[in-house]
Every structure is written in structure tokens, then in C-alpha cells.
Amino acid sequence: MIQNVKGTKDVLPDTIRQWHFVEDRIRSAVEKYGYEELRTPIFEKTEVFSRSIGEETDIVNKEMYTFTDRGGESLTLRPEMTAALVRAVIQNGLEKQNPILRLWYFGSFFRYERPQKGRFREFHQFGAECIGSPNPESDTEVIMLAANLINSLGIKEYKLNLNTLGTDEVRRKYRDELVAYLEKNKADLSGESLARMALNPLRVLDSKDEKDRNVVASAPKILDFLDNNSLNHFNSVKQYLECVGINYYVEPLLVRGLDYYSHTVFEFQSTALGAQDSFGGGGRYDGLFEQLGGKPVPAVGFAMGVERLILIMESLNLFPENVNKTDFFIIAPDEQYYGEALKIAEIVRGRGFSAQTDLMRRSMKSQMKESNRQNAKYTIICGEDEMKSGSIMLKNMSTGEQEIVPIGGLITKEF
Ligand code: HAM
């Protein structure tokens, strides 16, 4: 038997209900904030990602699904959306049409990671990007949108970690100090961190290795290197978050795994997830437009892992009980009324209800069982006696009440 690819998942009818629930909440959250949807192709020219996410990041270095197409061009299945979205904004001149763009997206993304709970090779992200404002109000707005969605899903227990990476200049100075410190403590670092130290030293800060953590605990903190501009921006974001009642924790070790960030970075964590405890993250990326060949445009945004949101909701029992699969189930016990059953189903569908017929030519008893299994609100029985007088038997499945209704009456009857 041919199996699906490792790290991918089929979404079966039983679980699609959960996806629709989350997707509905996402749509109503983004509408409240005036964000508009943007869709881009699943694959891009490889440089869209290598130039933006950073050559020395795990994503670009070892996780991208990159292939050469038949025309000899290097293409990559998108590992994230921000770079692709910025490419699309520049290419279509959207930033010229409006000084502020509020965009959101939902789709599948691909990273060659080691699959485990909450970590897949194909996964889904919902994200929002606020483009055009350098001001801390926009950092706050995207965090508010994320928090609004999280609340509307019923997730109460979560942690918002916040940090700043300052300007490029701040980061350069900090990087030098950090490397000098790490050099001195080389002997106590893991092999992975030693490799990172040379190429992407800030990533040593969020190593999960016990040895590294001991070294990192006394490492210089970026917060001590901030210039006035960076400090003011960070303080304003914190102040606005307090103003709108969003709790946060300043986490000076938070650096994120993508290189395009400056100033604010943040991550949402849930203990319901286990090792992969981050279910969303984002930050400001004021340099990305230029990196991708555009004019400088400030921007900030975030993305959330949809599988991780669903895992959290499942483990906290936040999905509503199974709802009715159909409003009406129409039973015809006798072959001569199969056509009538199809017709009656169409009458109630015409009124906006959902309706199903048996299709399997089963016995009256089995069809009744099926109606129960479908959790139908009403069962319509096309019994011989009723049919002869142009009527049906209508059963309200929650009260058990039955009544005979003329077929024509179904067009106007109140349900
Ligand atoms: P990211 O932190 O790489 O950020 O991914 C965002 C979220 O996607 C993660 O917090 C996680 O929930 C989910 N995710 C990532 N990788 C996997 C995986 N292999 N399996 C399951 N879920 C995963 C970004 O992608 C940035 N583009 C976010 C952003 C938007 N920054 C600014 N704007």
C-alpha cells in the first residue's frame, strides 16, 4: 500500500470540523481588524527565501524543499509566508497604492524537519502582516489581533514572550560582544552551538541544550546594548500592551529562527504542547523590503501554526460537541417512493436546510439508525399511508414529536 509522505497528514472528515471551526474564528478576527487576504503560489524562486530568511538559518540551511525544475530554475516550496508576501507586495506595487497595508493569509508550508508532536514537514500557518508603519502602535495591533484570535478560540493559558533585537547597528555591536563571551566559554558549549557561534551566534541564545543554557545564563543581554531609538520603540510597545491589557514577559533570550527581524520579536507559548511549545511568533522586519529589491518599507507581523492551535484546543477540550451533520434525513422504506424522497430533500434544501436521503436502499430500521447517527434535527418518513394522501410523517428528533404534513406544506412550514 502506498503511504503518505512522512511528516504530512490527511485531514479526515472527522477532524475537518475542527479546522473549519478554527478557520471561521480566524476570518472573523481578521475582519474585525480590517485585514485583507492575500494568496501567493506554493513555490517561489529559491532566492526569495535564501535572501530574506538568512543563508545561515536552519530553515535555509537544512529544511527547505528545494528542487531544480525542468527549465533549470531553482525553486523552493515555501517554508514561510513573510518573504513571499513581501515579494508579492513589491511586484504588484501594493505599497504604493496605500501607505498602510493590512494583509493576512492561511495556507500550507513546508520544512524538512524531524517530525514529532506538533512538528510536521507540511504544516499550516495563519498569519497577519501590517505593512507601512514604523510606529509601535502597529507592533501592538498585530499582537492584539493574535491575542484576540487566541481568546476567541477559548485558549486562556498561554504566555506571550517579548524581546527586542534593536537596530542593525545595535545587533552588530551585541553580536561582537556575544561572540567574545562565547569564545571564552567555548569549552562548555555543545557541538551545535559551536557551529552556530561562527555563523549565527544569536541562535546560541535559544539553544535547548542544558550545557548551552548554563553558558547563556551569564551571557551579555541585548537589552543592555539598545540605543535610544530601539529603547523608545520597545518601551512604547510594552506601554501600549499594558494599555490594552495584554500580559507579556520580557524574554531577553528570544531571538527567533529567521534573520529578517529588527526591533520587536515575540512568541506565543502553551504548556499544552510539550517540546514544541511555541504556537505562534513574529516581529518587526523593517529591512526586508530592501533585501528583496524594494524601497525601504517598515512592517511587522506574525504567524501561527494551525496544527498546534488545534492540538492545544483538543488537549483543553475546547471544541464544541459534535453538531448536527444534517438538518433533515429523509427515509423512504419502499422502492416506489425513492424518487419522492429525492424530491422532498430538494424542497427543504431549497429553503436553505441540509438534507440527506439513504441511497443504500436499506430497511426502514437501518435508515432510522442512520438518521440518528447523522444526528439529524428532523426525520421525514415517506410511509405508504402518508404518501397516498400526498403527505409525509415529520419527526422532531430532539422532542420525539411526530406530525403528518402535506408535502406542499414543507415549503412554508416553520422549522
Ligand atoms: P515561525 O516561528 O518560523 O515564524 O513559524 C510560525 C509558527 O508556525 C510557529 O510558531 C509554529 O506554530 C508553526 N510552525 C513552524 N514550523 C512548523 C512545523 N514544522 N510544524 C508545525 N508547525 C510549525 C514564521 O514563519 C514567520 N514568517 C512569522 C512572521 C510573520 N514573522 C513576521 N511575520
Side-chain angles (χ1 to χ4, degrees):
M1 192 190 24
I2 304 174
Q3 302 269 343
N4 64 332
V5 175
K6 189 175 165 189
T8 67
K9 251 171 110 172
D10 301 312
V11 181
L12 304 179
D14 262 2
T15 32
I16 198 76
R17 206 170 55 81
Q18 302 180 332
W19 284 78
H20 289 165
F21 183 85
V22 173
E23 286 168 34
D24 284 351
R25 296 292 153 106
I26 288 173
R27 272 173 206 283
S28 63
V30 290
E31 270 166 26
K32 278 188 243 164
Y33 288 78
Y35 280 64
E36 291 181 296
E37 187 176 3
L38 184 135
R39 298 183 187 180
T40 64
I42 296 281
F43 52 80
E44 295 276 346
K45 292 182 179 161
T46 298
E47 61 188 311
V48 169
F49 304 114
S50 56
R51 259 169 49 183
S52 55
I53 299 172
E55 296 280 3
E56 301 309 337
T57 57
D58 285 351
I59 297 179
V60 173
N61 241 331
K62 47 185 187 192
E63 294 171 1
M64 292 208 305
Y65 279 91
T66 297
F67 59 98
T68 308
D69 75 1
R70 288 169 193 273
E73 186 151 44
S74 177
L75 303 178
T76 294
L77 299 186
R78 58 188 190 185
E80 63 108 45
M81 185 67 174
T82 312
L85 180 139
V86 168
R87 194 270 308 140
V89 167
I90 298 172
Q91 186 177 337
N92 294 286
L94 297 187
E95 83 285 12
K96 291 184 201 124
Q97 293 168 17
N98 205 326
I100 182 113
L101 293 169
R102 291 180 165 95
L103 300 170
W104 73 276
Y105 49 87
F106 183 103
S108 46
F109 296 87
F110 307 86
R111 295 183 194 176
Y112 191 82
E113 293 196 78
R114 199 164 41 78
Q116 64 179 83
K117 185 181 169 194
R119 193 161 73 188
F120 307 97
R121 289 182 175 170
E122 184 195 26
F123 60 98
H124 294 76
Q125 278 187 352
F126 145 67
E129 314 287 349
C130 182
I131 292 166
S133 166
N135 300 320
E137 296 90 292
S138 53
D139 307 48
T140 313
E141 179 176 282
V142 295
I143 295 175
M144 285 165 72
L145 166 52
N148 189 299
L149 170 71
I150 297 169
N151 288 336
S152 78
L153 293 173
I155 302 170
K156 296 209 169 61
E157 302 264 306
Y158 71 92
K159 199 171 158 209
L160 166 61
N161 286 326
L162 187 71
N163 193 19
T164 177
L165 301 176
T167 58
D168 289 353
E169 179 64 23
V170 166
R171 247 177 353 272
R172 253 194 306 276
K173 276 194 196 144
Y174 174 64
R175 193 186 148 114
D176 291 347
E177 289 283 329
L178 180 66
V179 170
Y181 170 84
L182 294 174
E183 280 285 350
K184 271 193 265 162
N185 293 278
K186 240 173 159 170
D188 298 323
L189 287 176
S190 68
E192 196 173 349
S193 285
L194 284 174
R196 278 184 168 159
M197 194 175 88
L199 301 169
N200 200 352
L202 264 63
R203 284 315 302 273
V204 175
L205 296 179
D206 65 5
S207 164
K208 294 214 159 86
D209 185 292
E210 204 54 43
K211 270 171 70 183
D212 295 336
R213 279 180 170 278
N214 285 335
V215 176
V216 162
S218 318
K221 303 275 180 295
I222 193 155
L223 296 177
D224 298 324
F225 290 76
L226 299 182
D227 56 13
N228 275 344
N229 169 9
S230 306
L231 196 62
N232 287 341
H233 190 93
F234 192 46
N235 284 340
S236 298
V237 172
K238 290 194 290 183
Q239 186 196 328
Y240 292 148
L241 286 174
E242 281 154 34
C243 175
V244 297
I246 294 179
N247 290 331
Y248 62 85
Y249 297 82
V250 174
E251 174 47 271
L253 299 180
L254 176 67
V255 288
R256 312 255 313 122
L258 307 101
D259 280 356
Y260 49 60
Y261 293 113
S262 56
H263 293 291
T264 319
V265 284
F266 54 90
E267 237 165 54
F268 294 94
Q269 283 181 346
S270 164
T271 47
L273 282 172
Q276 300 304 314
D277 61 356
S278 163
F279 63 95
R284 178 164 281 283
Y285 48 93
D286 291 348
L288 187 54
F289 273 76
E290 272 178 294
Q291 263 169 290
L292 288 172
K295 298 231 167 65
V297 178
V300 57
F302 70 87
M304 287 193 175
V306 181
E307 285 83 357
R308 292 191 190 173
L309 283 175
I310 291 177
L311 272 173
I312 297 172
M313 293 184 64
E314 258 182 341
S315 79
L316 300 176
N317 248 327
L318 294 175
F319 285 110
E321 281 299 296
N322 203 355
V323 281
N324 303 81
K325 286 192 178 149
T326 189
D327 295 322
F328 288 87
F329 193 86
I330 296 105
I331 294 179
D334 192 302
E335 193 176 334
Q336 61 178 311
Y337 300 125
Y338 291 160
E340 284 298 312
L342 293 172
K343 192 174 96 190
I344 289 165
E346 205 57 10
I347 291 174
V348 288
R349 286 183 194 127
R351 294 193 51 190
F353 296 110
S354 58
Q356 285 189 29
T357 58
D358 180 49
L359 301 185
M360 296 302 291
R361 302 189 162 191
R362 284 178 283 198
S363 70
M364 167 86 176
K365 202 172 148 198
S366 308
Q367 291 190 47
M368 203 61 199
K369 250 195 192 159
E370 182 58 20
S371 181
N372 276 316
R373 201 182 69 84
Q374 298 273 342
N375 207 11
K377 285 186 200 148
Y378 295 94
T379 304
I380 288 177
I381 304 162
C382 305
E384 191 166 3
D385 290 349
E386 291 85 18
M387 284 280 111
K388 276 188 178 149
S389 61
S391 304
I392 50 91
M393 174 73 81
L394 176 73
K395 183 171 182 186
N396 181 323
M397 299 298 277
S398 51
T399 62
E401 275 169 40
Q402 305 199 54
E403 59 176 311
I404 293 174
V405 180
I407 295 175
L410 291 171
I411 300 171
T412 48
K413 189 172 171 51
E414 272 191 38
F415 290 106

